[in-house]
Amino acid sequence: MNNVAEIKKRMTHQSQHSGELSVLTKWLRRQTNLIKDQTTTSQKQVEMSNSQLQWLELIHDRLDTVAMESRVTNMLLAELVALHQLVVSDDTNEARDAIRNDVYQRVRNAE
């Protein structure tokens, strides 16, 4: 009789443990799936960040080119004005202002 009671106790104890193991196993699976999802999301975010960085580098390079071209143009225009002042002795401020306003107007209107 004593052996039967002991066996029943052990079986009850083992079934409690197997129930706990089942709950723990389900919890671990859920946690593993969550970690996988978070890893996938993080990888996508890194890919998007890399893509944005490439676009920013491209834009930066193009802006550098535009800035350099603008400086060159300004220097050439300054040289042209200096040459013009050597050649023309008349006061050309009004004509210059009219031309400048016309150029600004065309640039604003994207001609």
Side-chain angles (χ1 to χ4, degrees), residues 67-82:
M68 184 179 65
E69 293 292 330
S70 180
R71 280 188 229 119
V72 168
T73 301
N74 288 338
M75 291 172 74
L76 290 172
L77 285 173
E79 292 292 324
L80 182 62
V81 167

Side-chain angles (χ1 to χ4, degrees), residues 34-57:
L34 286 173
I35 290 170
K36 285 179 184 176
D37 292 345
Q38 288 175 344
T39 301
T40 302
T41 301
S42 295
Q43 287 172 341
K44 288 179 182 177
Q45 288 174 340
V46 167
E47 289 170 6
M48 290 301 296
S49 293
N50 287 338
S51 177
Q52 288 174 344
L53 180 62
Q54 289 173 349
W55 274 105
L56 286 173
E57 287 174 349

Side-chain angles (χ1 to χ4, degrees), residues 10-23:
R10 284 185 192 166
M11 288 181 71
T12 306
H13 202 52
Q14 285 177 350
S15 66
Q16 286 175 347
H17 284 301
S18 66
E20 289 173 359
L21 286 175
S22 174
V23 169

Side-chain angles (χ1 to χ4, degrees), residues 77-92:
L77 285 173
E79 292 292 324
L80 182 62
V81 167
L83 284 172
H84 179 268
Q85 288 174 348
L86 286 174
V87 173
V88 177
S89 60
D90 296 338
D91 186 18
T92 57

